Amino acid sequence: MRNKIILKLIIGLVIWLTIGTIKVQAAVTCQLSSYPYTIITCNLADTYQLCLINNSNDCCRNKCIQDINCANDCIGAEDMCYKGNNNIGNCGIGFCGSDKSDCCTSSYSNWTKSKITCVNRNSDILNGLNCVPQWITSLDCSLGDKLKNIGDTFLYASDCHCSILGVYKYCCDAAGYPEAAINGGFLTAVDIYRNGQCPGGYIVDGNRVRSVPCTPNCVPTNGTNGVCGAAAGTMHWSMGVGTAPATTNLITQNPLCADGSKPTVNTNADYTYTWTCGGTAGSCGGTTGSSASCKAYWLNCNDLNYWAMYPDVKNAGWRPYAHYQSSGQNEGRTWPTSGSTPFCFESTKKITCGNVDTGPNDTCGTNKAPVTPAPVVCTPNSCAANTLVGQTCNDGCGGTQNGTKTNCTPNQKTCSGNILNTCNSMGTVLTPTTCTYGCSNGACNLATAKISFKFAFAGVKPNASCISSLGNLKIEVGNSPANKYQGGLTTGFSVIAGSVDSAGNQIFKTDSIALSNDFASVNNNNYVKVKGLLHLKRRMCQEGQLTKINNDTTICNINLIRTDDYVYDFSKYAFITTDNSNFYGLLAGDVNSDGVINSIDFSYVKSRIDADSDITCGREGDLNADGVVNNLDTGLIKIALSSKDDE
Amino acid sequence: MEKNNLIKFLIPLIAALVVFESIVLVTNLDKGTKTNTNTEATSSATIEPEVTITEPVAEMIFETTNTDMKVGKSYKVNLNVVAKEDLMIDGIETYIKYDPNLMTISGLSSSNKLPKATVSKIDAQIGIIKNVVLIDAKAGYELNKGIINSVLSFTVTPKKVGLASFEISSGNTDKEFVTMMVENQTSKQLVFLTNKLDINAIK
C-alpha cells in the first residue's frame, strides 16, 4: 500500500515537472507603455520590472529583447519611396513603383506608391510579431497626387495617412487654360481621396502642370486676332442719303464670327462700319482673317462708279471720294456725275451699280443692273505700262503684275547680302526676302543656337595659384514651354583679366557653347544650369540674374540665337545667407558630387587640411584653388551649407 | 528492513528523475526559442532576406516632460544623442519635421556643449527645424558610450487640439534634409536609431 502511494507521488512529481516546463516557456512577453521614454514591462518568469527601452544598459530591456529575439532595432527612420520623386538611400536614384524592387527602375506604375519601411517597432512586439528588422511594402495609401472632386482642375498633395494637404498642382491645357485632372480612382478602401494626374503629366513643369493657377499663354485681343465669319457681305441695308444707319438696322442677317459668336459692330464717323470678332479660348493667336476684311463701306453709286472707272483706286484700298479729293482730281481723274444717287452698297460681294439705284439690299436696285468694270488693256511685253494694281494682263507679263517687269531665271533663288531673291515661274518678278541669319547658296541660313556667359566661383580670387586647374563646367539648357532640354554638355572657360565680382572673385567667361538645333526655333524662355567641378548646380534664367528665382513664375530672357556673340552676365549671382548678406559666385563644397553640400563634404575637406604644405594644384578639398587645403576651404562649405542642394 | 530498502530505492530514483527533468526543461527552453523564431520567420511573408542590417552605433531621442500638451501653453522639448560605443564625430546635422498648422516652434537652441551651430533655423513655412553643428577640431567631437548628449532644444506651443508629432527627417522627401552624424575618421554617416515624438494637444 505504501509502495503504491510512493509510486503515485513519483508519477505526480513527473507530471508537475512537465507542466512547470510548459508554464515557464509561455511567460515571455513585453509591453509598451508611455512616451517619450518607452517603458517595457517584463513578465519573464513571473518577475515584473520597469525599464527604459532607450537605455542600452538596462538589464531588463536586454533581457526582454534577448528573450524574444530582438537582436536589432530599426535603423534610422522609415525609408520611403515616392512616386515620381528621385529616391535616395536604399533605393538609389530612380522612381518609385509598387514595391521595393521597382524603386530603382526607371519606370513607375500609375497611381501606386510604395512605402518601404524598415520595421522593428515596439507595437510589433506588442502584437507578438517578430521584431527583427524587416522591409514592409505598404500599398494601403497612396502618396500620389490627390483629386478631390471629378472635374477639378487642380490636385492636392497627399501625406502617408491618405489625407490631403492643400492644392499644389494645377492642370493646364496647351493654351494655358485650366484643364480637368484625370481621375485615377481609389487605390484601396482606406484611401479616401482619389488619385489624380494632370493630362499633361505629373511633374510640375510650368507648362501643362503648374504650381500656380493656370492663365492663358496669351490673351486674345478684341479685333486684332479675331476671325471674321464668312457671312460678311450678306447684308440688307435701307437708309437715306447722308444719314448714318442705326446700328440695329445695319444687319438683318447677322454675320457671325468663325467661332459662331456675334461680332461687335462699330459705327465710324465717315459712314464706314466695321465689325470685329474677339478671339475665344483656344483661338488665341489665330491669324485667319481680321476685322479689315470685314469692313463695309456705305457708298453711293458715284463712289462705285469712281471705283469702276479707276480700279487701281479700289484695289489700293482707297475710299473713292477720299481718293478723288486728296489726289485723284490732281491726277486728272474725274468724278462721275449721275444726278440723284440713291444708295447702293458695296460689301465683300463687290457689286457695282449703275447710275440709279433704289434697291434696299445688297444687290442693285430694280432700275439698274450691276455694272461690270471694263477690262484694262495691257501693253504687250511691257508690264511697266500697266499701272493698274491687281489687274490681270495676258500679254506675256504673266499673272498678276504690279507694274514692274524683271528679267530673271524662272524659279531661281539668289543671295544678295542678307537678301534672298526668288524669281517667279515666268522669270518676270524677283521677290526679295530679308534673311535674319544671313543668306548663302540661294537659301536663308538657319539660326544657330549657342550661348556665352560670364560667371564666378565663390572664393576663387584672381591671384589663386591654381586658377587654371578648376576643371570644366557642366552645362544643361532647357526651354520649358517648348519642352526642350539638352544636358551633358561640358565646356572650358577663361579668365577675364581685371574683372572681379562684388566679392572680389575672379570672373570667367565661356565662349559660344554650341547647342542642339532644337533650340534654334524656341523663344527666349530658356534656362542654363551651370555646375563647377566642386560646386552646386545653379539655374540661370535672366541676364544679370542676382540670385535664385522662382522657376514657376519667372519668365526667362535668354536668347540662344543671337547673332551678335552676346555674352550673358551670370557673374552677379549671389546666394543670400541666413543673415541676409550676399555670397557671390557658384557655391563650392560638393566634393563628392552628390548634388548636396553637407557635413560629409565638410568632414572630407577637414580631413585633408594641411595648411603648412607646399602649394600643389589639384589637391582634394582645395575649393578656392589656392593650392592648399585649409580653413578657408572649410569656411566656404559652412557658408554653402545654408543653400545646400542643386537647382 | 523492507522500509529501509524502499527508501534506499526511492531516494536515488527521485534524484535521477529531478536530474532528468532538469535536462529536459533546459533543452525544451532552447527548443522553444528556436521554434518560436522559425514560426515567426515563416509567418512574416514580407521579410526580404537580402537586406543587410548595419548595427546602429547611437540613438537620437526626444525628451519632454509631458506628451499631453495644452493648447496655447509652451513646453520644452530636448533632443539628445546617446552613443552605444565611443565615437568621434565631425558634425551633426539635424532636421526635424513638424506640422506648422498644429503647433508653433520657438526658442531653438543648440547645446552649449557643442560648437556653435553653423545653421540654426526654424522654417515654419515648410515645417522644418534645422540645426547643423560642424566640428572644426581635427580630432572631432567625442561622444562617450552611454552618456546622454544634448543636441538641441526648442519650445512647442500647440495651436489646435489633436495629435501631432515630431519626426527626425531622413531625407526621403527632400535630399536637402538628411539628418546625419558624420564620423571623423571615415567622413561617412553613422547609423543611428531614432524615434518619433507624438504629442496630444488638449484644451
Side-chain angles (χ1 to χ4, degrees):
Chain A
M1 180 63 185
R2 182 177 291 173
N3 289 347
K4 287 183 180 177
I5 292 171
I6 291 171
L7 192 59
K8 287 180 181 175
L9 284 172
I10 292 168
I11 293 170
L13 181 62
V14 171
I15 293 171
W16 176 80
L17 286 171
T18 306
I19 294 173
T21 303
I22 295 170
K23 184 181 176 186
V24 169
Q25 283 181 273
V28 182
T29 58
C30 285
Q31 285 191 322
L32 176 68
S33 185
S34 62
Y35 200 81
Y37 289 118
T38 306
I39 300 173
I40 294 179
T41 303
C42 290
N43 181 9
L44 182 64
D46 295 324
T47 300
Y48 288 85
Q49 297 180 55
L50 295 178
C51 53
L52 300 178
I53 194 170
N54 290 318
N55 184 346
S56 59
N57 293 322
D58 190 284
C59 60
C60 170
R61 176 189 182 242
N62 288 340
K63 189 175 185 63
C64 286
I65 290 177
Q66 183 181 1
D67 286 336
I68 56 174
N69 270 345
C70 287
N72 298 293
D73 285 332
C74 186
I75 297 172
E78 291 175 334
D79 192 359
M80 298 181 191
C81 182
Y82 287 78
K83 173 189 169 190
N85 284 355
N86 284 335
N87 294 291
I88 61 171
N90 289 297
C91 287
I93 301 299
F95 291 93
C96 187
S98 58
D99 58 41
K100 174 180 173 286
S101 63
D102 284 343
C103 277
C104 304
T105 66
S106 58
S107 61
Y108 61 93
S109 304
N110 283 339
W111 322 124
T112 64
K113 71 94 192 184
S114 174
K115 180 183 174 186
I116 313 292
T117 310
C118 168
V119 174
N120 180 9
R121 296 171 299 197
N122 292 318
S123 58
D124 292 339
I125 299 173
L126 268 179
N127 295 326
L129 298 175
N130 189 355
C131 53
V132 174
Q134 57 194 275
W135 290 98
I136 290 178
T137 301
S138 305
L139 285 174
D140 59 347
C141 146
S142 168
L143 282 170
D145 308 334
K146 293 298 179 188
L147 175 62
K148 195 173 179 184
N149 300 304
I150 292 176
D152 282 349
T153 57
F154 45 79
L155 295 166
Y156 295 87
S158 172
D159 68 10
C160 62
H161 302 294
C162 305
S163 63
I164 53 177
L165 300 178
V167 173
Y168 87 115
K169 277 185 183 176
Y170 295 86
C171 302
C172 314
D173 64 16
Y177 289 86
E179 183 179 37
I182 299 170
N183 172 27
F186 297 94
L187 188 64
T188 70
V190 299
D191 196 6
I192 59 175
Y193 297 106
R194 300 174 182 86
N195 289 296
Q197 187 183 20
C198 287
Y202 63 92
I203 296 174
V204 173
D205 60 2
N207 185 20
R208 298 289 303 276
V209 187
R210 303 183 186 183
S211 61
V212 295
C214 304
T215 54
N217 294 337
C218 59
V219 179
T221 303
N222 191 29
T224 300
N225 293 321
V227 180
C228 253
T234 57
M235 298 180 297
H236 299 267
W237 303 28
S238 177
M239 284 297 128
V241 176
T243 303
T247 302
T248 51
N249 292 331
L250 276 173
I251 304 164
T252 56
Q253 183 180 350
N254 292 331
L256 296 176
C257 294
D259 61 359
S261 64
K262 191 174 179 180
T264 302
V265 177
N266 306 302
T267 304
N268 304 318
D270 63 348
Y271 295 164
T272 64
Y273 305 94
T274 59
W275 57 95
T276 55
C277 300
T280 58
S283 71
C284 174
T287 55
T288 306
S290 69
S291 59
S293 66
C294 303
K295 182 176 285 186
Y297 299 99
W298 193 36
L299 305 173
N300 61 34
C301 289
N302 285 344
D303 292 321
L304 299 174
N305 286 336
Y306 187 79
W307 269 356
M309 293 161 63
Y310 308 108
D312 58 319
V313 174
K314 178 180 179 180
N315 292 331
W318 277 94
R319 292 292 316 284
Y321 195 67
H323 179 268
Y324 174 75
Q325 284 187 309
S326 64
S327 59
Q329 56 188 337
N330 296 331
E331 294 167 1
R333 306 188 197 226
T334 59
W335 185 251
T337 54
S338 57
S340 177
T341 55
F343 287 101
C344 60
F345 298 93
E346 168 70 5
S347 69
T348 54
K349 285 186 175 179
K350 303 187 191 316
I351 295 170
T352 305
C353 300
N355 290 342
V356 179
D357 179 64
T358 58
N361 52 36
D362 63 332
T363 60
C364 292
T366 55
N367 296 328
K368 300 301 294 181
V371 175
T372 302
V376 178
V377 177
C378 291
T379 302
N381 299 318
S382 175
C383 290
N386 177 11
T387 59
L388 299 178
V389 179
Q391 292 298 296
T392 299
C393 180
N394 295 317
D395 61 359
C397 297
T400 300
Q401 301 300 319
N402 292 323
T404 302
K405 179 175 174 63
T406 305
N407 292 317
C408 55
T409 304
N411 300 318
Q412 186 184 49
K413 296 187 175 186
T414 55
C415 291
S416 175
N418 281 341
I419 305 297
L420 174 67
N421 291 310
T422 305
C423 186
N424 68 355
S425 60
M426 300 296 292
T428 55
V429 176
L430 204 57
T431 304
T433 305
T434 302
C435 298
T436 306
Y437 304 104
C439 182
S440 58
N441 300 323
C444 286
N445 297 333
L446 296 174
T448 302
K450 60 186 179 182
I451 186 164
S452 303
F453 58 85
K454 295 190 287 185
F455 68 99
F457 290 119
V460 177
K461 306 299 180 187
N463 58 354
S465 301
C466 301
I467 201 166
S468 59
S469 303
L470 286 164
N472 285 334
L473 281 187
K474 291 183 177 176
I475 307 290
E476 298 168 40
V477 182
N479 182 293
S480 296
N483 200 24
K484 303 290 185 188
Y485 170 81
Q486 184 178 11
L489 294 164
T490 58
T491 183
F493 47 86
S494 56
V495 168
I496 302 179
S499 184
V500 294
D501 67 10
S502 299
N505 298 319
Q506 174 64 54
I507 294 179
F508 301 90
K509 170 179 174 280
T510 68
D511 190 22
S512 293
I513 305 165
L515 304 175
S516 161
N517 278 340
D518 286 348
F519 294 98
S521 56
V522 299
N523 60 17
N524 291 350
N525 204 350
N526 301 297
Y527 64 81
V528 181
K529 290 186 177 180
V530 184
K531 178 174 172 55
L533 185 64
L534 304 171
H535 302 78
L536 286 184
K537 190 187 300 177
R538 284 293 170 252
R539 183 179 185 272
M540 306 297 183
C541 170
Q542 294 185 322
E543 162 68 348
Q545 185 172 327
L546 299 178
T547 189
K548 187 174 183 176
I549 57 177
N550 188 322
N551 298 349
D552 294 329
T553 58
T554 305
I555 296 175
C556 304
N557 64 2
I558 307 296
N559 185 348
L560 300 176
I561 51 176
R562 289 183 72 138
T563 57
D564 56 359
D565 294 327
Y566 189 79
V567 179
Y568 281 93
D569 188 0
F570 301 149
S571 67
K572 296 183 175 69
Y573 190 96
F575 162 63
I576 301 173
T577 62
T578 50
D579 61 356
N580 286 327
S581 55
N582 288 336
F583 189 70
Y584 290 90
L586 298 178
L587 293 177
D590 184 15
V591 292
N592 56 0
S593 295
D594 62 354
V596 183
I597 294 177
N598 56 24
S599 307
I600 296 173
D601 301 299
F602 173 81
S603 178
Y604 184 89
V605 173
K606 195 181 89 170
S607 69
R608 281 150 179 78
I609 286 181
D610 188 359
D612 298 329
S613 62
D614 295 333
I615 292 174
T616 304
C617 293
R619 285 185 186 278
E620 290 182 330
D622 179 16
L623 303 180
N624 60 357
D626 62 0
V628 180
V629 181
N630 53 24
N631 289 334
L632 292 176
D633 301 299
T634 54
L636 288 172
I637 291 188
K638 286 182 180 179
I639 293 170
L641 262 170
S642 299
S643 176
K644 299 205 59 158
D645 62 332
D646 276 344
E647 280 191 75
Chain B
M1 182 65 188
E2 186 180 316
K3 182 180 176 182
N4 288 341
N5 286 341
L6 189 61
I7 290 172
K8 284 179 182 174
F9 167 73
L10 280 178
I11 289 173
L13 178 61
I14 293 172
L17 275 172
V18 169
V19 170
F20 171 74
E21 287 294 339
S22 299
I23 293 169
V24 169
L25 171 63
V26 171
T27 307
N28 283 348
L29 280 173
D30 288 343
K31 284 180 180 174
T33 305
K34 288 173 183 172
T35 305
N36 195 24
T37 304
N38 292 339
T39 305
E40 286 163 357
T42 305
S43 62
S44 299
T46 52
I47 290 179
E48 297 186 14
E50 76 278 12
V51 174
T52 303
I53 304 299
T54 307
E55 196 68 31
V57 295
E59 297 181 38
M60 206 172 261
I61 311 159
F62 285 108
E63 175 192 0
T64 186
T65 54
N66 199 343
T67 55
D68 286 336
M69 299 183 177
K70 289 186 177 178
V71 172
K73 283 195 69 177
S74 297
Y75 300 85
K76 188 176 182 183
V77 172
N78 295 319
L79 182 67
N80 303 322
V81 63
V82 180
K84 293 187 172 185
E85 55 191 65
D86 289 344
L87 302 170
M88 299 301 291
I89 60 169
D90 272 351
I92 304 180
E93 272 187 66
T94 314
Y95 301 95
I96 303 170
K97 292 189 286 188
Y98 71 98
D99 189 342
N101 296 317
L102 301 179
M103 45 199 164
T104 302
I105 308 300
S106 58
L108 173 61
S109 171
S110 285
S111 167
N112 55 17
K113 292 183 179 175
L114 293 168
K116 185 186 176 189
T118 303
V119 177
S120 186
K121 186 180 179 184
I122 301 163
D123 192 333
Q125 277 199 323
I126 57 175
I128 283 279
I129 300 169
K130 307 175 185 177
N131 195 76
V132 180
V133 175
L134 301 176
I135 316 297
D136 284 319
K138 180 83 175 172
Y141 182 84
E142 185 169 14
L143 297 176
N144 290 315
K145 176 182 178 182
I147 302 299
I148 297 175
N149 292 275
S150 173
V151 177
L152 58 87
S153 63
F154 55 87
T155 301
V156 184
T157 309
K159 293 179 178 176
K160 300 174 184 174
V161 172
L163 297 175
S165 65
F166 291 94
E167 197 172 341
I168 301 293
S169 171
S170 62
N172 284 316
T173 53
D174 190 336
K175 67 178 181 178
E176 188 178 353
F177 303 129
V178 182
T179 299
M180 64 174 74
M181 284 189 282
V182 178
E183 191 181 29
N184 173 266
Q185 279 296 312
T186 62
S187 298
K188 290 184 176 174
Q189 291 185 60
L190 293 167
V191 177
F192 60 93
L193 301 174
T194 184
N195 220 331
K196 195 165 79 167
L197 172 57
D198 293 316
I199 66 168
N200 181 27
I202 57 178
K203 281 188 178 178

